[in-house]
């Protein structure tokens, strides 16, 4: 729906990656625990069709990528022109699920620069900014379900899922293995917000 990533074939190269079938806590989460005030915490309450599906809790790495994390935080917590009430419009099983806001812009304007590529896609359940090329970040984002090193230094990593991995996995099955990633069911972000950060018992 947003048109982002359609001009970037590199984004598709990981679509056939096989799941390892195991679940482990993301190592990047240690940064949130070990560095005071390193992360902001937000959530999506998800719905598939008319059925409530569960909550995805995400930590945003605002100490590493403050502008990118603030963009996502603001779009998650605002009442209008944010992520509340929007859909995941592009899903590629084994790779990622992509969403965006209702207004199509970042909080800084139509787009903003790639802040840095300090973090890489070395593990599953990372949040990355979708784009149409260098320095074209807007409101579109994606959540990976497998490591995706082919995205390194092309897309900015700005967060990780800390709870609701099962919800992400379920959503990631509702797409097609094509570049367009047509969805096979309505995947709605029904409610959004922020949470006070605290150490999380990861499952």
């Amino acid at each position: 729906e947003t048109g982002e990533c359609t001009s970037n074939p590199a984004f598709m190269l990981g679509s056939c990656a096989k799941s390892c079938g195991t679940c482990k806590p993301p190592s990047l989460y240690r940064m949130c625990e070990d560095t005071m005030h390193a992360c902001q915490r937000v959530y999506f309450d998800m719905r598939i069709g008319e059925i409530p599906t569960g909550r995805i809790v995400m930590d945003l790495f605002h100490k590493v990528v403050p502008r990118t994390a603030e963009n996502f935080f603001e779009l998650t917590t605002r009442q209008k022109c944010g992520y509340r009430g929007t859909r995941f419009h592009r899903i590629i099983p084994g790779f990622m699920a992509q969403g965006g806001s209702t207004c199509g812009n970042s909080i800084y304007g139509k787009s903003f620069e790639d802040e840095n590529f300090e973090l890489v896609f070395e593990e599953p359940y990372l949040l990355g900014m979708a784009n149409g090329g260098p320095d074209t970040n807007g409101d579109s984002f994606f959540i990976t379900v497998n490591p995706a090193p082919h995205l390194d230094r092309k897309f900015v990593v700005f967060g990780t899922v800390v709870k609701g991995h099962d919800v992400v996995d379920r959503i990631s099955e509702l797409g097609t293995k094509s570049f367009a990633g047509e969805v096979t069911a309505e995947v709605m972000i029904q409610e959004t917000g922020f949470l006070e950060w605290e150490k999380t018992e990861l499952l």
Side-chain angles (χ1 to χ4, degrees):
E1 292 179 1
T2 65
E4 294 187 356
C5 289
T6 55
S7 63
N8 200 332
F11 192 72
M12 184 59 194
L13 295 178
S15 62
C16 295
K18 294 181 179 179
S19 172
C20 64
T22 61
C23 180
K24 66 177 183 177
S27 61
L28 281 175
Y29 181 77
R30 301 276 76 79
M31 177 176 64
C32 299
E33 286 198 330
D34 297 341
T35 306
M36 186 173 293
H37 307 305
C39 296
Q40 298 166 309
R41 178 162 294 176
V42 294
Y43 68 87
F44 291 162
D45 286 335
M46 301 302 303
R47 174 169 60 79
I48 296 175
E50 297 301 320
I51 302 173
T53 310
R55 174 169 288 188
I56 301 171
V57 179
M58 300 157 284
D59 278 358
L60 310 180
F61 304 138
H62 73 93
K63 285 292 186 183
V64 180
V65 281
R67 280 174 57 80
T68 310
E70 183 59 28
N71 181 66
F72 190 83
F73 183 88
E74 174 67 23
L75 292 172
T76 300
T77 56
R78 62 170 48 171
Q79 295 294 317
K80 295 182 179 180
C81 286
Y83 297 133
R84 183 183 288 110
T86 63
R87 297 171 178 82
F88 278 81
H89 59 268
R90 185 177 183 220
I91 300 173
I92 302 174
F95 179 25
M96 64 90 212
Q98 181 177 337
S101 79
T102 57
C103 294
N105 294 327
S106 77
I107 65 172
Y108 308 112
K110 184 176 180 180
S111 64
F112 66 102
E113 73 285 353
D114 296 320
E115 191 165 7
N116 65 60
F117 297 109
E118 183 174 334
L119 304 175
V120 296
F121 293 91
E122 61 186 357
E123 57 197 38
Y125 306 113
L126 294 179
L127 278 70
M129 290 300 299
N131 64 50
D135 299 320
T136 58
N137 300 289
D139 64 340
S140 285
F141 67 94
F142 57 90
I143 304 175
T144 61
V145 294
N146 276 299
H150 66 287
L151 302 183
D152 294 349
R153 304 198 64 78
K154 299 181 181 72
F155 302 89
V156 176
V157 177
F158 65 90
T160 183
V161 174
V162 295
K163 278 192 173 181
H165 302 93
D166 58 326
V167 179
V168 176
D169 288 341
R170 185 173 177 187
I171 290 169
S172 73
E173 297 172 356
L174 301 174
T176 52
K177 285 195 173 183
S178 66
F179 183 79
E182 294 92 348
V183 299
T184 58
E186 181 184 64
V187 180
M188 174 75 73
I189 302 172
Q190 188 164 11
E191 189 57 67
T192 64
F194 72 94
L195 300 168
E196 293 298 324
W197 196 92
E198 61 182 13
K199 289 189 177 183
T200 300
E201 187 67 30
L202 297 177
L203 302 178

